[in-house]
Amino acid sequence: MSEQTLLENELLDILKSSLKNCELAVTEPQQQQLIRYVLMMHKWNKTYNLTSVRAPQQMVLKHIVDSIVVAPFLDKTHYIDVGTGPGLPGIPLAIMCPTKHFILLDSLGKRVRFMKQVAYELKIDNIQPVQSRVEDFVPSVEIDGVLSRAFASLKDMLHWCQHLVDSHGVFLALKGQLPTEELQELPLGFTLQETIKLDVPGLEGERHIVKIKKQSVG
């Protein structure tokens, strides 16, 4: 058995073990795709420094499981993942939610090239990697939700991303501990809709989704 196959099997075992402790339904083909994505990220990371997480075993928990636990809370169709880096959480969520569409926005060309290669090799047709600064990007479709993971403070996120959705859209900030101070500093025109505590098997520390709505004008 090749070294690559051994690693792939090890990573699948880590993923399966983690999924035993949560209610998320992940099919075998989805598991295979998620692990192939990790292997690609690990390979490219050696040259392009896509993520500070070096070990692929850690990527499974810190990047994959941490992303896919958000899937049950996506109830619309069109999402944009801002500051996505190598495609997190957008690519794992696209694998989990094949009927939803994800624009993956990052300002660095090497990350966008990587995401395009992932889309090609893994045949993921519901992602659109885009190289742009968020403040310069104008979506061609109506966005239902703005995702951000480790992108910025809530105040900065709303400032940079406010043009991406109207009052029908929602901002979904993926945070560790509940950012109480940041929530007290929400800009005018935005309201906290809800906070959701996530259970991420195998990861220490808290995880939350902070849902914020833009108030309708008039």
Side-chain angles (χ1 to χ4, degrees):
M1 200 178 285
S2 72
E3 204 173 306
Q4 178 82 350
T5 305
L6 283 169
L7 177 58
E8 193 168 341
N9 289 342
E10 181 191 356
L11 299 180
L12 264 172
D13 286 344
I14 293 170
L15 180 60
K16 287 177 190 290
S17 173
S18 181
L19 292 174
K20 277 182 193 168
N21 301 312
C22 72
E23 296 175 6
L24 212 53
V26 190
T27 66
E28 287 286 339
Q30 286 172 329
Q31 290 178 32
Q32 294 282 351
Q33 265 191 314
L34 290 166
I35 294 307
R36 286 185 65 197
Y37 170 54
V38 169
L39 291 169
M40 285 187 70
M41 197 161 24
H42 178 53
K43 181 182 173 184
W44 278 60
N45 209 31
K46 293 170 185 173
T47 307
Y48 294 99
N49 196 26
L50 299 171
T51 166
S52 60
V53 179
R54 291 290 178 212
Q57 295 86 348
Q58 287 293 309
M59 287 179 187
V60 173
L61 294 172
K62 291 186 174 179
H63 287 335
I64 302 303
V65 180
D66 196 39
S67 293
I68 64 177
V69 292
V70 177
F73 304 98
L74 303 183
D75 54 359
K76 299 283 176 49
T77 305
H78 290 281
Y79 289 89
I80 184 168
D81 179 9
V82 295
T84 186
L88 297 162
I91 289 177
L93 288 173
I95 291 170
M96 291 292 296
C97 309
T99 61
K100 303 183 192 304
H101 188 267
F102 297 85
I103 296 170
L104 309 178
L105 199 67
D106 202 272
S107 59
L108 282 186
K110 63 181 181 181
R111 294 173 180 160
V112 174
R113 284 193 297 277
F114 168 71
M115 290 187 284
K116 286 181 176 177
Q117 190 64 25
V118 169
Y120 172 73
E121 286 192 29
L122 302 190
K123 297 179 172 56
I124 303 172
D125 58 10
N126 58 330
I127 60 172
Q128 180 190 348
V130 176
Q131 183 180 354
S132 174
R133 297 194 316 168
V134 64
E135 62 268 34
D136 298 332
F137 181 70
V138 180
S140 57
V141 294
E142 189 172 305
I143 301 291
D144 299 312
V146 178
L147 289 158
S148 86
R149 177 181 184 262
F151 173 65
S153 67
L154 293 176
K155 188 177 179 182
D156 285 346
M157 176 199 178
L158 297 170
H159 172 70
W160 295 118
C161 304
Q162 59 183 318
H163 65 290
L164 296 175
V165 293
D166 58 19
S167 59
H168 299 291
V170 66
F171 296 89
L172 300 164
L174 311 184
K175 295 285 188 178
Q177 286 187 318
L178 198 62
T180 313
E181 286 186 17
E182 291 182 27
L183 288 169
Q184 291 169 353
E185 295 176 354
L186 287 187
L188 283 173
F190 297 94
T191 53
L192 174 65
Q193 194 175 29
E194 65 175 322
T195 59
I196 301 161
K197 189 169 184 180
L198 297 170
D199 180 27
V200 187
L203 273 190
E204 291 181 11
E206 295 182 5
R207 292 289 186 278
H208 290 85
I209 301 175
V210 178
K211 290 179 76 171
I212 296 168
K213 289 278 282 188
K214 203 176 194 179
Q215 293 166 3
S216 53
V217 180

